[in-house]
Amino acid sequence: MQSVPFVDSGVVDPRASAPVRDLRRVPIHPDYWYPLAWSKEVKRGKTYGTHFAGEPIVLVRTESGAIFALEDRCAHRQVPLHAGVVKGESIRCGYHGWTYDCSGHCVEVPYLGKERLPNGVRAYPCREAYGLIFVFPGDAALAQTRPFPALTSVDDKAYKTRRFGREVKCHYSFMHENLMDMNHQFLHRRLMGHMRTRSLGRRRGEDWVEVDYTFARMEGKQPVGEALVFGASKARREQDKDVMTIRTGYPYQTLQIRSPEGTLVMDLWIVYVPLDAQQRTNRTFGLLSIRKPSLPFALDLAWPLLVWFTEGIFKEDRWIVELEQKAHDQQGADWNHEVFPVINDLRDVLRNCGGASVIPIRPVSDLG
C-alpha cells in the first residue's frame, strides 16, 4: 500500500489513533548486531574504547587474539576499563588492578581474598567477521535469534572489497534516506555530470523496503571511478539498463548494481551506528565490493581512482545530511514535506522498527 505524504512534525494523521513520531527522535533499536570497530583497530593485547548510543563499551583483544566486549567502566570507581591493561585473557583496571574476564566477572582484586570478590560488569555478545568487530548491545538473550549479516561478496574472490567509514553528525535516519533516494544526483553533478534517474518500482515488508533504479547520463563525461563499476561508456552503450537495487533491511542498508545479464557488478553493505546518547553523531561502516574485470590486475591498478571517486561522493553526502540535521535542530521538529513514496515507506519502517523511547530535544543553546 502506498504511503500518504505528511509533514513529520508530530501532527496527528487523521487515519491514526496516535500522533506520528518525529523520526529524528526515534532511537535506534539495540537488539541487533552492530559493528563498533574495524578489526585492525583492536590490536592484540590492547583495548579499544567506543560507544553505542551513549553507552561506553570496551573491546578487548586478548594475548591469544580472542575478542570480547564489556561495559567500559570498572565496578569499583567507574573509571574506563579501556585505560587498563590486558593480562592474558582478561582486562585489568588501570586504577586498583581489579581484573575482569570475558564474561565480565571480577576474577581478581589484588588486596582481597577470592571469597570476597565483588560483582563484575556487563558483558556484551561479540563476534568478529568481515574485518569488523560486531557487538549486540541489546538483550543478550536475543543475540542468537537475530540474524547475523551475511556478506557473501566480501569473501568471494571474484570481488575486490573496499572498507570505508567516517563519523557523520546526524541522526541515522538521514543516512538511510540519503542512500535510498537517488533523486538527489544533482548534488553530485560536479563528480558525475547530469544523470537521469528513473525509479522502476518498490517493495516493502514489515522491517524492510527496497527500490529499483536505472540511470542514464544526459551531460558530462563518465568519471573513471564510475567506469570501474559500470564499465567504460563506449563498451557499455546500454548503461541505462543496469539496475540498482537499494534496500533497508533494518538496521542495515545495501546497494546492488546488476548488469542487463543479471551479473552482480557492485555490492555495498552499510550501517550507521549512533555514538552519543542524543544519537546526533553516527559512525558509518561500509563494505563496497566491486566485481573484478576479466583483465587481471586492472582493478588493482585503478583502485586509487575508485577510492578518490567514492570518497568524493561520500563527502558530499555527509555535508548535505549534516545540513539537514542542523535544520531539524534549529526548527525543533521535522518539517520535511516528503513526496517520494519509497521514502515515506522507509520512514514508516524506521519508526516501527526503532526503539520505543524518545530522544529528548536538546536546548537550542546546546546545538553549537
Side-chain angles (χ1 to χ4, degrees):
M1 179 180 296
Q2 180 173 322
S3 298
V4 176
F6 52 80
V7 178
D8 185 14
S9 58
V11 299
V12 177
D13 184 329
R15 302 168 304 167
S17 58
V20 176
R21 290 202 293 172
D22 181 345
L23 177 59
R24 318 309 179 189
R25 297 177 61 198
V26 175
I28 204 164
H29 204 296
D31 289 340
Y32 294 88
W33 288 98
Y34 293 94
L36 295 190
W38 300 103
S39 294
K40 64 182 181 181
E41 292 179 311
V42 190
K43 310 297 183 183
R44 187 184 294 263
K46 300 294 182 180
T47 64
Y48 183 89
T50 185
H51 290 80
F52 176 84
E55 295 182 21
I57 296 175
V58 60
L59 304 176
V60 180
R61 176 88 68 186
T62 70
E63 293 180 0
S64 71
I67 194 83
F68 65 87
L70 301 178
E71 176 184 5
D72 191 15
R73 45 189 165 222
C74 179
H76 183 208
R77 297 287 183 86
Q78 308 301 304
V79 299
L81 286 175
H82 77 258
V85 177
V86 176
K87 178 184 176 183
E89 302 303 296
S90 58
I91 173 69
R92 190 171 191 179
C93 178
Y95 197 1
H96 291 83
W98 287 31
T99 304
Y100 302 89
D101 63 14
C102 63
S103 66
H105 291 113
C106 183
V107 295
E108 180 183 357
V109 175
Y111 47 89
L112 290 179
K114 293 290 185 180
E115 70 281 357
R116 299 177 61 189
L117 292 178
N119 293 329
V121 297
R122 180 182 178 184
Y124 297 87
C126 183
R127 293 179 62 177
E128 187 168 14
Y130 317 118
L132 288 164
I133 298 173
F134 290 82
V135 169
F136 196 89
D139 183 352
L142 299 177
Q144 298 301 318
T145 63
R146 291 291 190 183
F148 191 79
L151 313 182
T152 55
S153 297
V154 174
D155 296 326
D156 190 336
K157 293 183 179 180
Y159 296 85
K160 183 176 175 67
T161 298
R162 183 191 173 214
R163 293 166 171 82
F164 69 94
R166 295 283 189 278
E167 286 190 12
V168 186
K169 296 185 181 300
C170 73
H171 187 261
Y172 62 89
S173 62
F174 286 112
M175 302 293 288
H176 279 270
E177 291 179 10
N178 173 265
L179 185 63
M180 182 72 70
D181 186 359
M182 282 293 144
N183 294 308
H184 79 270
Q185 291 305 305
F186 183 73
L187 172 67
H188 304 306
R189 60 196 179 277
R190 296 179 184 86
L191 290 170
M192 301 184 66
H194 181 203
M195 300 291 290
R196 182 189 68 192
T197 307
R198 185 163 65 97
S199 173
L200 301 181
R202 71 190 196 277
R203 298 163 294 279
R204 176 181 173 181
E206 183 177 349
D207 60 354
W208 62 272
V209 60
E210 64 182 18
V211 59
D212 297 327
Y213 294 100
T214 57
F215 294 86
R217 174 162 283 97
M218 309 305 294
E219 296 178 7
K221 297 181 179 180
Q222 184 182 40
V224 176
E226 181 187 321
L228 292 172
V229 177
F230 289 98
S233 56
K234 291 183 180 179
R236 295 295 303 280
R237 296 177 182 176
E238 295 185 340
Q239 179 179 304
D240 62 340
K241 293 186 180 179
D242 289 306
V243 176
M244 173 186 289
T245 300
I246 304 174
R247 176 186 178 96
T248 288
Y250 192 90
Y252 317 114
Q253 242 182 345
T254 58
L255 185 156
Q256 295 184 330
I257 298 176
R258 295 185 181 276
S259 70
E261 299 75 30
T263 302
L264 182 61
V265 177
M266 189 186 91
D267 191 6
L268 169 68
W269 180 89
I270 195 165
V271 64
Y272 321 106
V273 182
L275 300 178
D276 58 319
Q278 290 285 337
Q279 303 198 19
R280 290 300 183 266
T281 299
N282 69 77
R283 187 178 183 188
T284 298
F285 293 90
L287 296 169
L288 176 64
S289 299
I290 306 294
R291 189 171 185 85
K292 297 176 182 177
S294 56
L295 184 63
F297 309 114
L299 186 56
D300 293 335
L301 292 173
W303 198 251
L305 292 173
L306 178 72
V307 172
W308 174 84
F309 175 72
T310 53
E311 279 296 315
I313 296 293
F314 187 74
K315 181 179 180 180
E316 291 179 341
D317 285 333
R318 183 172 68 244
W319 171 71
I320 206 72
V321 295
E322 289 182 349
L323 288 181
E324 287 188 280
Q325 182 66 67
K326 287 182 179 179
H328 172 275
D329 289 341
Q330 290 168 356
Q331 294 160 356
D334 190 346
W335 291 5
N336 288 12
H337 182 69
E338 186 53 60
V339 296
F340 192 28
V342 71
I343 298 302
N344 282 318
D345 285 350
L346 172 65
R347 288 181 169 215
D348 287 343
V349 167
L350 294 176
R351 283 193 197 92
N352 295 336
C353 294
S357 60
V358 175
I359 299 173
I361 296 179
R362 288 187 296 175
V364 175
S365 59
D366 294 341
L367 298 180

